Amino acid sequence: MSHHKKIDDVTGVETTGHVWDGDIYELNKPLPKWWLYSFYACILWAIGYWIVYPAWPLVNSYTTGVLGYSQRSQVQHDIDEWKAGHAKYRTQIAELSLPDIRKNEELFQFSIAGGAALFGENCAGCHGRGAQGGVGYPNLNDDDWLWGGDLEKIHETIAYGVRNGNSKAHDTAMPHFGTDKILDNAQISDVANFVRAFSHLDVDAEAAKRGSQIFADNCAACHGEQGKGNQDMGAPNLTDAIWLYGNSQEAVMQSVRTGRGGIMPAWSERLDPVAVKMLTLFVYSLGGGQAEAASAPASAEPTKAQ
């Protein structure tokens, strides 16, 4: 590298005098003033930021800055503001009965919004994000309810659950007709044919005829002579073509054989009373609440099984 200053013929800019390979010159062209001023301004801004906001780490803490700002305190402030803004609604929900909340449209809509979030966090894992249920998990969108579908009954079911050990839980259970040797396999097959006939499914007519007496002797006490069910006992309606575990011959036989016996948590043990009320109102709003069955959406598919 040699040193020889000159004016570049192409750009008209003076060179620095640095030359490589005899004919490669380094132009002496400083950065634009606006860029330099912007750069200096950024440096001044950074220094100001270090002074005003938390910036430098220390041994056990950090510099808090002259404003004393922190993202943690800002988030907590936002949370406190949110709680304060919603406190009046939560207070009203705690004090009012479920029917009274239902009559207050503003409070009802607030409860539905909160209940939807609670449902997604706590219930959707079993009942599905759309509360459509699945095999062994009831569909909450229709108007078929094992334990009742008015506000108080839904609240009771959510608060105390089913067969979970809570002293207030729904605790009646279907006998294990097969595993406890109450009925043999042939009798179970016959009564399954009879039960499936309630829903006008294809059955063995002779088997169904034999199963009618088995049903009368063993099942009618809970499900009723006509198979309409009994919500006080959690005995499902067998005539509505809605099946929790499927309506095939084998699925119905398995239900008779083992009694199934699903379990639901007691949410009052995990959530506060206001949250339980909000969940109740949300489930009620899905379209299957019995007190408003006439206004339930016509598109709600009856897929909640027994």
Side-chain angles (χ1 to χ4, degrees):
M1 180 181 70
S2 62
H3 297 269
H4 176 64
K5 291 186 178 182
K6 57 171 286 188
I7 302 300
D8 181 62
D9 295 333
V10 177
T11 62
V13 176
E14 183 183 36
T15 67
T16 64
H18 298 157
V19 183
W20 287 268
D21 296 336
D23 58 356
I24 300 176
Y25 294 86
E26 178 184 3
L27 300 183
N28 184 18
K29 189 173 183 179
L31 292 168
K33 296 293 185 183
W34 66 266
W35 194 97
L36 287 173
Y37 293 149
S38 298
F39 177 67
Y40 297 147
C42 288
I43 293 174
L44 292 174
W45 175 268
I47 294 172
Y49 194 96
W50 292 340
I51 296 171
V52 173
Y53 289 99
W56 291 99
L58 303 176
V59 176
N60 297 316
S61 182
Y62 54 88
T63 58
T64 59
V66 296
L67 293 183
Y69 171 87
S70 76
Q71 288 185 327
R72 184 183 296 274
S73 62
Q74 182 62 41
V75 169
Q76 188 59 52
H77 174 73
D78 293 343
I79 292 174
D80 292 342
E81 278 195 341
W82 181 90
K83 287 182 177 180
H86 291 82
K88 66 173 184 178
Y89 293 111
R90 291 182 60 85
T91 299
Q92 291 180 68
I93 291 171
E95 295 175 348
L96 295 176
S97 68
L98 287 164
D100 287 340
I101 297 171
R102 176 63 188 91
K103 293 173 185 176
N104 184 321
E105 190 61 26
E106 182 179 10
L107 201 56
F108 183 49
Q109 293 303 320
F110 175 84
S111 299
I112 290 175
L118 289 164
F119 186 91
E121 294 171 0
N122 299 282
C123 313
C126 291
H127 292 282
R129 297 294 300 182
Q132 75 278 7
V135 177
Y137 302 102
N139 177 359
L140 304 177
N141 294 288
D142 59 36
D143 60 358
D144 187 72
W145 301 89
L146 286 178
W147 306 97
D150 61 32
L151 282 168
E152 295 300 333
K153 291 294 186 180
I154 294 173
H155 182 266
E156 180 183 0
T157 300
I158 292 174
Y160 305 117
V162 180
R163 290 182 285 270
N164 54 42
N166 186 286
S167 61
K168 295 184 179 181
H170 298 305
D171 204 27
T172 56
M174 179 175 170
H176 306 170
F177 286 104
T179 55
D180 287 347
K181 310 299 182 183
I182 301 172
L183 301 174
D184 61 32
N185 203 55
Q187 291 173 310
I188 291 173
S189 178
D190 289 346
V191 77
N193 273 281
F194 178 75
V195 169
R196 294 177 71 245
F198 280 133
S199 295
H200 307 290
L201 300 169
D202 291 333
V203 300
D204 182 327
E206 288 300 317
K209 185 176 180 180
R210 294 191 300 269
S212 64
Q213 188 59 49
I214 299 171
F215 182 89
D217 294 340
N218 297 275
C219 314
C222 293
H223 293 281
E225 293 182 1
Q226 304 301 317
K228 296 292 186 180
N230 183 341
Q231 290 184 347
D232 291 335
M233 304 179 69
N237 182 351
L238 303 175
T239 69
D240 57 8
I242 299 174
W243 303 85
L244 186 57
Y245 295 96
N247 62 8
S248 69
Q249 175 71 6
E250 181 52 41
V252 177
M253 287 181 64
Q254 185 69 2
S255 294
V256 176
R257 185 180 294 117
T258 65
R260 302 290 189 179
I263 296 173
M264 175 179 168
W267 289 106
S268 61
E269 298 175 357
R270 310 185 187 191
L271 302 174
D272 63 67
V274 170
V276 173
K277 279 187 174 182
M278 294 170 76
L279 261 177
T280 298
L281 290 156
F282 171 71
V283 171
Y284 181 85
S285 75
L286 293 174
Q290 289 183 335
E292 293 189 338
S295 63
S299 60
E301 292 295 331
T303 56
K304 187 197 306 177
Q306 314 305 343

